[in-house]
Amino acid sequence: MEDNAKTYMLGIEATLEVISGKWKGIILHHLTSGRKRTYELRQLIPKITQKVLTQQLRELEKDGIIHRIIYNQVPPKVEYELSEYGWDFKDLLDRFCLWGEDHLDRIYGDKTKVLEEYSAVEEKNAKQAPPL
């Protein structure tokens, strides 16, 4: 073991260190549906600032969870995708999402009251519904 290596009590500490922060799990969740450009991630996560998004993407890249793909063109084009190592995390992300939804149902009685994902779907469906 290296002299400057961190020590952990449990493996979950290492997991939480990699995905720590408010946004990393959300970024990873969106990347499970495929490559995304920075502006696409900003649209999917409107509450994140550009500075924080850039910081979180750099940390995920440093940890080997995502790849940064740079296209040699003008204007420059950069995309992010899950690495093979990052794909290993998908099942855990899915379980986190399901547990969170169950938790919201337990606390609020109905996750659709507080989960924007469901609110947006309901709003879209209401707009598409024919008038009575």
Side-chain angles (χ1 to χ4, degrees):
M1 184 166 78
E2 295 179 25
D3 291 335
N4 60 353
K6 290 184 178 184
T7 58
Y8 302 91
M9 297 291 293
L10 298 168
I12 193 167
E13 289 178 80
T15 303
L16 293 174
E17 185 176 306
V18 171
I19 62 164
S20 66
K22 182 175 182 178
W23 304 110
K24 286 183 183 175
I26 297 167
I27 292 167
L28 293 173
H29 173 77
H30 287 302
L31 291 177
T32 62
S33 64
R35 289 182 183 173
K36 302 281 184 288
R37 295 181 72 174
T38 306
Y39 81 90
E40 291 174 294
L41 289 168
R42 285 289 311 277
Q43 289 178 332
L44 292 165
I45 315 168
K47 295 178 183 176
I48 195 171
T49 65
Q50 182 63 48
K51 177 183 175 185
V52 172
L53 177 60
T54 300
Q55 176 187 3
Q56 302 285 276
L57 288 168
R58 286 181 183 158
E59 290 174 13
L60 289 166
E61 183 182 13
K62 181 180 135 286
D63 288 329
I65 307 298
I66 65 171
H67 289 298
R68 182 175 184 229
I69 304 155
I70 303 167
Y71 296 90
N72 190 16
Q73 64 182 50
V74 177
K77 179 180 175 183
V78 177
E79 292 180 324
Y80 295 91
E81 69 179 358
L82 290 174
S83 66
E84 185 176 329
Y85 184 52
W87 277 108
D88 289 344
F89 201 68
K90 185 182 181 317
D91 290 340
L92 188 55
L93 281 173
D94 292 343
R95 291 291 307 143
F96 273 131
C97 287
L98 290 173
W99 188 91
E101 290 177 14
D102 289 345
H103 177 71
L104 293 174
D105 276 337
R106 181 183 178 134
I107 299 300
Y108 296 101
D110 180 4
K111 66 183 166 238
T112 63
K113 294 177 185 175
V114 294
L115 199 56
E116 289 181 5
E117 175 182 333
Y118 287 93
S119 299
V121 168
E122 287 177 4
E123 185 177 310
K124 181 180 175 184
N125 289 340
K127 288 179 182 177
Q128 293 176 349
L132 297 175

